[in-house]
């Protein structure tokens, strides 16, 4: 927000960025540039949550292998389960399947090449038992709740996303609903005042794209169409 208490801008800068400033001033830009990935140097606070043995916030340079973060820093998967999916940088960043993280590092270029992004560095790790439709339902509920309602694509779109994903999760969806979900994402992305609509659309687009069989398994051809859906 650019207008807050006493009419002043409450957002000055990211605390993580500000914390680097004294070190850059005392140790120099060259020292800072040597930390982590060449094209994206510096430290990151990796906030790892989910099905790992030791979730937490860890400070390391950019460019760490995702697998090192999970298996070394966070001491591996909880209960010895298999890794299923990783959301590298907060819930809006595109989810990666376990087979997509091999050799991928936590920096902008590497993650872009893998089809995701670093975002906030808030990594979510999911094991083999995770129901990706239920996960997406929870995420879609969050973004629907967070929408301020100013922009029509976001105000209406986040509600449709939550309701359609919920309908599929409840076993009442059909295959056409999957196409409608993708179309909804296209109607929201890049068409609003702030980035929340994109943040709501991307988890839907990429979870559906990368775990489509799980959505299809919950759909039944004879179920009611999306046109019958009542928005809450
Ligand atoms: S995109 Fe941002 S400004 Fe627009 S309705 Fe959504 S939250 Fe509000």
């Amino acid at each position: 927000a650019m207008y807050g208490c006493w009419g002043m801008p409450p957002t000055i800068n990211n605390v993580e960025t500000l914390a680097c400033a004294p070190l850059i001033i005392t140790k120099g830009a060259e020292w800072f540039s040597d930390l982590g990935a060449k094209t994206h140097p510096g430290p990151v606070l990796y906030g790892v949550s989910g099905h790992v043995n030791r979730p937490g916030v860890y400070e390391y340079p950019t460019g760490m292998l995702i697998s090192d973060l999970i298996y070394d820093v966070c001491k591996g998967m909880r209960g010895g389960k298999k890794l299923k999916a990783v959301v590298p940088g907060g819930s809006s960043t595109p989810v990666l399947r376990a087979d997509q993280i091999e050799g991928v590092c936590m920096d902008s270029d590497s993650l872009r090449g893998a089809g995701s992004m670093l975002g906030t560095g808030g990594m979510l790790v999911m094991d083999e038992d995770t129901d990706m439709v239920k996960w997406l339902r929870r995420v879609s509920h969050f973004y629907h709740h967070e929408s301020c309602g100013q922009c029509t694509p976001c105000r209406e779109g986040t509600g449709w996303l939550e309701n359609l994903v919920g309908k599929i999760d409840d076993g009442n969806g059909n295959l056409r609903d999957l196409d409608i979900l993708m179309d909804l994402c296209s109607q929201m992305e890049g068409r609003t005042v702030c980035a929340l609509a994109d943040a709501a659309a991307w988890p839907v687009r990429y979870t559906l794209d990368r775990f489509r069989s799980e959505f299809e398994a919950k759909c039944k051809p004879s179920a009611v169409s999306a046109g019958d859906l009542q928005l809450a």
Side-chain angles (χ1 to χ4, degrees), residues 143 146-156 158 188 191-198:
Y143 286 109
E146 292 301 303
S147 173
C148 79
Q150 184 183 171
C151 320
T152 303
C154 179
R155 183 184 63 245
E156 301 300 325
T158 51
M188 294 168 69
R191 296 180 184 216
T192 53
V193 169
C194 84
L196 190 128
D198 300 79

Side-chain angles (χ1 to χ4, degrees), residues 15-225:
V15 174
E16 211 173 337
T17 305
L18 290 177
C20 288
L23 288 168
I24 295 171
I25 291 166
T26 52
K27 296 185 177 232
E30 207 171 307
W31 167 84
F32 189 82
S33 304
D34 281 343
L35 293 174
K38 280 271 169 287
T39 55
H40 180 190
V44 176
L45 294 173
Y46 298 108
V48 189
S49 63
H51 303 143
V52 289
N53 282 317
R54 210 177 65 171
V57 179
Y58 302 96
E59 185 176 31
Y60 283 99
T62 56
M64 271 196 89
L65 280 168
I66 292 178
S67 53
D68 284 353
L69 206 45
I70 295 172
Y71 294 102
D72 294 342
V73 177
C74 296
K75 304 300 177 198
M77 298 299 293
R78 198 175 63 189
K81 299 270 185 180
K82 279 194 196 141
L83 175 68
K84 179 174 187 174
V86 175
V87 180
S91 62
S92 65
T93 58
V95 60
L96 297 170
R97 294 187 312 267
D99 63 283
Q100 293 179 294
I101 68 151
E102 200 175 327
V104 178
C105 300
M106 291 296 281
D107 65 77
S108 301
D109 287 350
S110 187
L111 281 165
R112 194 180 304 119
S116 190
M117 56 182 75
L118 183 62
T120 61
M123 180 192 283
L124 175 60
V125 181
M126 293 180 266
D127 72 18
E128 58 190 315
D129 296 334
T130 308
D131 181 330
M132 298 306 290
V133 182
K134 281 204 188 311
W135 174 75
L136 186 61
R137 186 177 193 170
R138 176 76 64 91
V139 171
S140 298
H141 170 71
F142 168 77
Y143 286 109
H144 184 199
H145 180 264
E146 292 301 303
S147 173
C148 79
Q150 184 183 171
C151 320
T152 303
C154 179
R155 183 184 63 245
E156 301 300 325
T158 51
W160 274 86
L161 291 181
E162 182 187 359
N163 280 286
L164 266 177
V165 173
K167 180 186 167 197
I168 293 163
D169 185 38
D170 289 338
N172 296 320
N174 57 41
L175 294 177
R176 188 167 164 264
D177 292 328
L178 305 185
D179 297 333
I180 293 172
L181 274 176
M182 285 299 206
D183 189 47
L184 269 170
C185 293
S186 301
Q187 299 296 329
M188 294 168 69
E189 289 158 343
R191 296 180 184 216
T192 53
V193 169
C194 84
L196 190 128
D198 300 79
W202 291 340
V204 174
R205 176 179 293 290
Y206 291 101
T207 310
L208 190 48
D209 180 57
R210 292 168 182 173
F211 295 91
R212 190 176 176 95
S213 62
E214 291 194 30
F215 288 80
E216 289 177 349
K218 290 201 178 194
C219 288
K220 44 187 180 185
S222 59
V224 291
S225 75

